[in-house]
Amino acid sequence: MNEDNSPAREDLNDILQHADDRELHALATMIRTDTEVRTLQNPTSQTLLVPVHDPISGNSFYCGEILATAAVVEVAGKSGWAMVMDDKAELALDIATVDGAWAAGLYHGEITVLALKTVAQCTRRQQENDSRTATTRVNFDKMAGS
């Protein structure tokens, strides 16, 4: 997040992958309706090799592949890009559209509201998960004293 509590552009792609699909799609549709949006690269699914650094040898190796979908659009003359996990063409196109609008200086308020809402939901889910996990934590010091 930036100092003004708005999302940094480089964080949008990651944040918006966790946004409510309907809200994200509604925002992208509004942008496409109100603004000139051109698709420069249709959503394309591809596999990417995942590099891993071996701390012992100092070398890298590929541990596997992931499926991702990428899209590139132009919104009011500015490029928007997205890469999302799995085969999700509509999600990639929606995020690319929102990213392009952000780059063009459009819909900053709406995008910020969706991003902040999404970050808050993700944080709450993580805290709930951490709380559930904490209840299973073993206290070895206490066990040794028994």
Side-chain angles (χ1 to χ4, degrees):
M1 294 290 171
N2 292 317
E3 290 177 8
D4 65 352
N5 209 27
S6 65
R9 183 178 182 199
E10 58 268 16
D11 296 331
L12 280 178
N13 188 76
D14 181 52
I15 292 169
L16 294 178
Q17 287 188 58
H18 303 286
D20 179 270
D21 291 342
R22 293 171 303 216
E23 290 182 53
L24 176 62
H25 186 68
L27 178 56
T29 299
M30 181 173 63
I31 293 166
R32 286 190 282 267
T33 301
D34 297 343
T35 311
E36 182 182 348
V37 178
R38 291 185 328 127
T39 301
L40 302 178
Q41 177 192 316
N42 285 317
T44 307
S45 293
Q46 54 200 312
T47 56
L48 303 172
L49 293 172
V50 179
V52 174
H53 177 75
D54 178 2
I56 305 300
S57 69
N59 295 324
S60 294
F61 64 95
Y62 293 104
C63 72
E65 296 177 323
I66 60 167
L67 179 63
T69 305
V72 181
V73 302
E74 184 179 87
V75 179
K78 297 291 183 178
S79 292
W81 174 86
M83 180 173 282
V84 301
M85 298 291 290
D86 296 323
D87 184 18
K88 296 182 179 178
E90 185 175 44
L91 179 62
L93 202 53
D94 286 348
I95 292 175
T97 300
V98 171
D99 181 63
W102 185 269
L106 304 171
Y107 300 95
H108 273 215
E110 293 87 345
I111 296 168
T112 297
V113 166
L114 180 58
L116 292 176
K117 180 179 178 182
T118 301
V119 168
Q121 289 170 340
C122 288
T123 300
R124 188 181 67 252
R125 273 187 244 131
Q126 185 62 51
Q127 289 171 340
E128 290 168 357
N129 188 51
D130 291 349
S131 178
R132 281 192 305 272
T133 303
T135 63
T136 66
R137 187 167 291 138
V138 176
N139 185 338
F140 290 102
D141 293 334
K142 194 173 191 179
M143 289 176 62
S146 299

